[in-house]
Amino acid sequence: MSDERQRSLHQVAVDQFQKAADLIELNDAYREILAQPKNEIIVNFPVHLDDGTAKVFTGYRIQHNNILGPYKGGLRFHPDVDLDEVKALAAWMTFKTALVGIPFGGAKGGVTMAPSAYNECELQRVVRRFTHALGSNIGPDHDIPAPDLGTTSQTMDWVMDTYANISPPGDRQSVKGVVTGKSITCGGSLGRAEATGRGVLYSLRHWCGEVGERLDALKVSIQGFGNVGGHFAELASEAGCEVMAVADHTGTIRADGGLDVVKLRAWVDDTGGVFGFPAADPIDTEELFSEAVDVFVPAALENQLTAQRAGALKCRLVVEAANGPTTATAEKVLAERGIDVVPDILANAGGVIVSYFEWLQNKSGRAWPFADVDDRFRALVWSAHDDVVAARDSLDCSRRDAAYVVALSRLAEAYERRGIFP
Ligand code: NAD
């Protein structure tokens, strides 16, 4: 298991696209371009803590590709953030935006820190100083961050406010689109907070239509109960699915007949985690992976689904809500066992799709009603799924390879049309 975890995550991302590139005999120049980010920005910046000391933090912004539009991707605050991880996450953003057909490129950023170790004032100073250090490396028509693991709409509001304050006075109202995932008060979009979880549910709904299953008859288990896993659990439960087991960083729980997700949400809001939820049984971490369900949804960190855990799964489908949750060896085990996988760049694209809508609303100064957001959102998710199913059937490959084929074909076409400067 440790060997799988030690592998470079960026190399995993490169291997994934190269496999699909072989299927369409992609030109070597495009492969070389896409195998590295265009820009790697690393900043070390000091922040005053409340105990009177100052601490130097390391932050990253990796701009992978912008052939289809401005760089786009989240900011992650987590102790494991490093250059290799952010490079992988940035590359996946390029393929995700290309796959769902929105005019953005791919980027990712983060700060190596545990947000829970700092109070709100300290956290705000970290966010503002990091934004200041990034300076003109981000911008509403250049590179647009969003929330990811360990960051929230509050983080985005602070980034936007800091960026506006370091912009010329005449630009301060027009730069709101420098980040997406903001609160509604600060220019966010209706539907953005739960968009990634909702996109996971729409992915599941599409799969049901494809294979002839009923959504409301499905049992699911979920790793992660944060922005993505928590919203997915609530929406899946509303849609009639039984949420049998849930894990987060505090523990793993299950309940015969399914968890009461509304009560679990209230418990997690009060206590900070699923541990100790009274209406459930605590189980060992590894038991999550052998819970008998129809669908397993990893919605926490990368490399969680190892070969050993893939061998233990008792499900028919894995929907990758997290980025990079499945190791390469686990992927082979899943294929051998006939367990279908909806890949991350397709399953979790809901967040960036509604981020695109937020950016359009900021540009036009007009807020869209939720129904408009949702109709356009569902249409984009389903058309991406249709494209992937068509590519999979015509090339007789996995859903993941097909998703990369669709994305790579769009990127290659843009390079063909634009050429390589000079
Ligand atoms: P989050 O910080 O809101 O939640 C993360 C969840 O994972 C928490 O419940 C945490 O307790 C849990 N967790 C952490 N370590 C764990 C462990 N070792 N075992 C079990 N659970 C653990 O983060 P998020 O925004 O929900 O992101 C989750 C995943 O989804 C990440 O891979 C992220 O890149 C991806 N993603 C997020 C978005 C978004 O819009 N937020 C969009 C696309 C993809």
Side-chain angles (χ1 to χ4, degrees):
M1 189 190 295
S2 59
D3 281 357
E4 289 179 67
R5 286 193 176 150
Q6 275 160 16
R7 230 175 137 227
S8 154
L9 199 65
H10 180 243
Q11 194 53 50
V12 170
V14 171
D15 290 348
Q16 284 176 347
F17 97 74
Q18 293 283 18
K19 194 159 165 256
D22 289 344
L23 289 173
I24 53 170
E25 297 176 355
L26 187 73
N27 151 340
D28 284 347
Y30 304 153
R31 291 177 189 241
E32 213 176 326
I33 291 168
L34 293 166
Q36 286 301 325
K38 282 184 84 169
N39 304 311
E40 301 180 17
I41 300 147
I42 304 180
V43 291
N44 296 303
F45 57 94
V47 175
H48 271 303
L49 302 181
D50 282 359
D51 65 6
T53 61
K55 181 174 164 54
V56 175
F57 292 85
T58 300
Y60 301 87
R61 187 68 186 168
I62 303 302
Q63 298 169 332
H64 179 260
N65 192 276
N66 63 351
I67 189 78
L68 292 174
Y71 299 109
K72 184 86 190 82
L75 292 179
R76 175 175 290 200
F77 286 11
H78 191 274
D80 294 343
V81 165
D82 64 15
L83 182 61
D84 179 68
E85 179 185 70
V86 187
K87 277 170 69 174
L89 292 164
W92 282 324
M93 285 307 300
T94 297
F95 300 117
K96 194 180 302 182
T97 52
L99 168 60
V100 297
I102 56 177
F104 283 142
K108 205 81 178 192
V111 178
T112 312
M113 69 178 298
S116 58
Y118 300 91
N119 66 39
E120 186 165 321
C121 292
E122 291 172 326
L123 209 50
Q124 181 175 168
R125 290 200 288 276
V126 171
V127 173
R128 288 189 183 279
R129 188 63 200 253
F130 177 43
T131 306
H132 183 267
L134 290 175
S136 60
N137 287 302
I138 58 171
D141 291 308
H142 174 47
D143 183 355
I144 307 145
D148 190 67
L149 201 87
T151 57
T152 62
S153 60
Q154 176 62 82
T155 321
M156 297 305 117
D157 291 347
W158 289 331
V159 174
M160 185 273 282
D161 184 73
T162 308
Y163 187 85
N165 274 289
I166 58 176
S167 299
D171 294 346
R172 286 183 190 160
Q173 298 306 321
S174 62
V175 295
K176 280 191 177 159
V178 64
V179 278
T180 56
K182 301 179 290 291
S183 66
I184 302 295
T185 319
C186 292
S189 174
L190 292 172
R192 173 60 183 90
E194 70 276 21
T196 308
R198 194 181 291 279
V200 177
L201 186 73
Y202 287 160
S203 293
L204 192 51
R205 219 182 255 285
H206 192 281
W207 179 83
C208 285
E210 185 194 334
V211 302
E213 293 271 349
R214 281 182 49 178
L215 182 66
D216 62 6
L218 296 181
K219 291 183 175 173
V220 304
S221 57
I222 308 167
Q223 187 196 39
F225 199 76
N227 179 290
V228 179
H231 281 119
F232 169 72
E234 287 172 66
L235 293 163
S237 169
E238 267 170 36
C241 301
E242 269 184 311
V243 179
M244 303 304 297
V246 166
D248 73 1
H249 69 288
T250 66
T252 308
I253 55 170
R254 74 169 303 283
D256 284 333
L259 293 156
D260 183 329
V261 177
V262 175
K263 287 192 179 141
L264 179 60
R265 157 60 52 214
W267 176 265
V268 171
D269 288 347
D270 281 352
T271 66
V274 304
F275 177 79
F277 180 56
D281 299 317
I283 52 173
D284 286 342
T285 312
E286 294 306 315
E287 287 180 76
L288 175 75
F289 299 93
S290 54
E291 179 73 26
V293 287
D294 301 290
V295 187
F296 173 62
V297 178
L301 304 166
E302 51 266 11
N303 286 341
Q304 292 299 303
L305 197 48
T306 57
Q308 189 189 331
R309 290 170 170 179
L313 285 179
K314 293 197 185 91
C315 67
R316 290 175 293 143
L317 175 70
V318 172
V319 184
E320 295 183 334
N323 285 304
T326 309
T327 68
T329 41
E331 177 120 24
K332 289 192 188 118
V333 175
L334 295 177
E336 280 159 20
R337 296 191 58 211
I339 298 175
D340 203 352
V341 178
V342 180
D344 46 9
I345 59 169
L346 180 59
N348 72 29
V352 78
I353 291 174
V354 181
S355 276
Y356 169 50
F357 298 159
E358 178 176 334
W359 182 76
L360 289 176
Q361 291 171 70
N362 291 160
K363 275 195 170 295
S364 68
R366 193 177 71 85
W368 300 359
F370 176 75
D372 286 10
V373 171
D374 199 43
D375 286 350
R376 294 175 201 207
F377 176 26
R378 206 172 36 243
L380 276 183
V381 174
W382 283 353
S383 102
H385 273 272
D386 289 343
D387 291 345
V388 169
V389 168
R392 180 201 61 187
D393 292 347
S394 82
L395 292 165
D396 192 20
C397 62
S398 71
R399 236 178 252 272
R400 189 184 312 281
D401 291 344
Y404 277 94
V405 162
V406 174
L408 284 169
S409 305
R410 290 185 180 142
L411 289 158
E413 193 182 337
Y415 275 109
E416 286 295 321
R417 305 278 322 172
R418 288 178 62 160
I420 294 174
F421 174 82

